[in-house]
């Protein structure tokens, strides 16, 4: 069983063997999932880049540089 200590800032260091077993490296994120029994599971939060395909819709028509500049100016004027 691996054990970690919580610092005064609420941080923990995931033990090396746990990181290896979970395939975690520096900069990776983890999710804390609350289970039905009240315990938490820690799982990698990484997703394949392919899972992002289609999340941003394609523009309906090409946008000119002039159109972009007008939109930026209009947005700045509202601030």
């Amino acid at each position: 069983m691996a054990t970690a200590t919580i610092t005064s800032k609420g941080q923990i260091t995931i033990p090396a063997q746990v990181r290896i077993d979970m395939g975690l490296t520096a900069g990776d994120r983890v999710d804390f999932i609350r289970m039905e029994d009240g315990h938490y599971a820690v799982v990698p939060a990484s997703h394949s880049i392919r899972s992002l395909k289609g999340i941003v819709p394609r523009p309906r028509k090409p946008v000119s540089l002039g159109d972009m500049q007008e939109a930026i100016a209009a947005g700045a004027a509202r601030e």
Side-chain angles (χ1 to χ4, degrees):
M1 174 180 271
T3 303
T5 302
I6 300 174
T7 69
S8 61
K9 293 182 179 183
Q11 300 172 335
I12 62 169
T13 298
I14 299 172
Q17 189 59 51
V18 175
R19 292 191 313 267
I20 292 167
D21 292 346
M22 293 178 72
L24 298 172
T25 58
D28 286 349
R29 299 176 66 88
V30 294
D31 286 331
F32 294 85
I33 300 173
R34 187 158 198 243
M35 309 303 284
E36 288 183 18
D37 63 3
H39 287 87
Y40 282 84
V42 180
V43 297
S46 58
H47 300 283
S48 166
I49 190 72
R50 290 190 172 115
S51 69
L52 299 175
K53 184 178 180 180
I55 197 166
V56 176
R58 292 180 181 245
R60 294 186 185 125
K61 64 176 184 167
V63 180
S64 72
L65 183 57
D67 291 341
M68 285 188 262
Q69 289 173 334
E70 286 176 21
I72 292 168
R78 283 183 258 173
E79 290 180 4

